[in-house]
Amino acid sequence: MTDGAGGKERLRKGLRIALATVAVLVLVLVVPPLISVSRFKTQITQLISQSLGRPVRLSSVQAHILPWPGFEISDLSVAEDPAYGAEPVLHANKVTASIRLLALFRGRVEIGKIDVDEASLNLVRAGPGRWNLDSIFRTAAAQTASSPGTGRVVPLPYLEATDSRINFKNGVEKLPFSLVNADLSLWQENPGEWHIRLRGQPARTDVSLHQEETGVVRVEASMRRAPALRQMPLHLDIDWREAQLGQLARLVTG
């Protein structure tokens, strides 16, 4: 009797596992194509725009459930503040935006993480202490304080860029210096406190360089909320290694 009962229990357990597996497969393979993501394209665009504090354009959106619920976005462009030029501050052919599950269970859609690959980012300086990222940090600070009309905290999404390029501009003039093969992460450790991690290879566009000999720059930075970017308390660690002296001199002097 005991062996028979144990066998039936194992059979029921195996059946439950099989049914759960089938349900997951149906969810993954059948549900996403049935979701009309195009009608949510405007809402997704607004979510990313609100997170970054800049107008956003994108070409197409596809939903996915695994490995984490979110969206695959094609041809994303984040507009620049007109005071710093007309070229987009960020452009990426492929972007993954992941959703915060806890917010989803509460009936809200919030972006928890934005991953971009092979992106182009412009850092623009328009004068002493004036950088184009200032408004992004001020928007994030305002959102961290509270979401208008609700009083709830809306943290900045975890931002991550891989195999990307960072260009430097002085006003409308694009400088020859850049960082290539760059990996960049920006996140909030606590409300009002940001951390930045950057790794990239220095490059110039106006001279020929052996890219593998210009070295690798690593940056670790932390900042705290302030009315303007130039007023933020900043802790910065910079490490530049593996550079060949001749290529380094050519990089600096052109």
Side-chain angles (χ1 to χ4, degrees):
M1 293 295 291
T2 303
D3 292 341
K8 290 181 180 179
E9 180 61 29
R10 286 193 296 271
L11 180 61
R12 284 195 293 267
K13 184 177 180 180
L15 183 60
R16 287 195 296 269
I17 293 174
L19 289 175
T21 303
V22 171
V24 170
L25 289 175
V26 170
L27 188 66
V28 172
L29 299 177
V30 177
V31 173
L34 295 179
I35 299 176
S36 179
V37 181
S38 59
R39 63 176 180 168
F40 298 112
K41 179 179 175 181
T42 301
Q43 182 182 3
I44 296 168
T45 303
Q46 290 175 348
L47 281 172
I48 298 177
S49 179
Q50 290 171 1
S51 299
L52 300 178
R54 297 286 178 86
V56 169
R57 291 190 301 103
L58 52 91
S59 296
S60 63
V61 180
Q62 291 183 336
H64 64 79
I65 295 178
L66 295 178
W68 193 269
F71 305 98
E72 296 286 343
I73 300 168
S74 299
D75 195 23
L76 173 74
S77 290
V78 180
E80 180 63 277
D81 185 330
Y84 296 94
E87 190 178 4
V89 63
L90 174 69
H91 180 269
N93 293 326
K94 181 181 178 182
V95 180
T96 301
S98 301
I99 296 174
R100 290 191 176 100
L101 283 181
L102 186 58
L104 191 62
F105 290 147
R106 294 173 177 171
R108 302 191 303 267
V109 179
E110 294 179 3
I111 302 296
K113 183 179 181 182
I114 298 177
D115 288 295
V116 300
D117 187 47
E118 298 182 355
S120 177
L121 171 68
N122 290 325
L123 294 183
V124 185
R125 180 179 182 270
R130 294 183 57 213
W131 291 84
N132 63 334
L133 297 186
D134 182 54
S135 61
I136 293 179
F137 280 102
R138 281 191 281 109
T139 298
Q143 289 180 332
T144 300
S146 66
S147 178
T150 64
R152 57 184 176 82
V153 173
V154 181
L156 184 77
Y158 188 103
L159 304 176
E160 186 172 61
T162 56
D163 197 18
S164 297
R165 183 185 189 95
I166 300 176
N167 305 300
F168 299 93
K169 297 176 66 177
N170 186 18
V172 297
E173 178 189 2
K174 182 172 285 188
L175 301 177
F177 302 101
S178 62
L179 287 177
V180 298
N181 303 320
D183 296 332
L184 173 66
S185 298
L186 170 65
W187 72 97
Q188 283 183 295
E189 191 74 25
N190 298 298
E193 182 180 349
W194 289 272
H195 287 260
I196 298 174
R197 181 177 295 128
L198 170 65
R199 179 189 182 277
Q201 293 178 281
R204 284 188 72 134
T205 57
D206 58 346
V207 295
S208 177
L209 294 169
H210 298 295
Q211 193 60 59
E212 67 277 4
E213 295 180 354
T214 60
V216 176
V217 173
R218 293 180 175 87
V219 177
E220 293 274 353
S222 61
M223 299 181 293
R224 293 198 303 274
R225 185 170 57 199
L229 184 65
R230 63 180 179 272
Q231 297 173 339
M232 286 183 171
L234 172 66
H235 177 82
L236 185 67
D237 292 320
I238 300 178
D239 179 79
W240 190 348
R241 62 179 62 189
E242 301 175 18
Q244 195 269 345
L245 185 59
Q247 294 298 302
L248 180 60
R250 187 170 175 81
L251 174 74
V252 174
T253 64

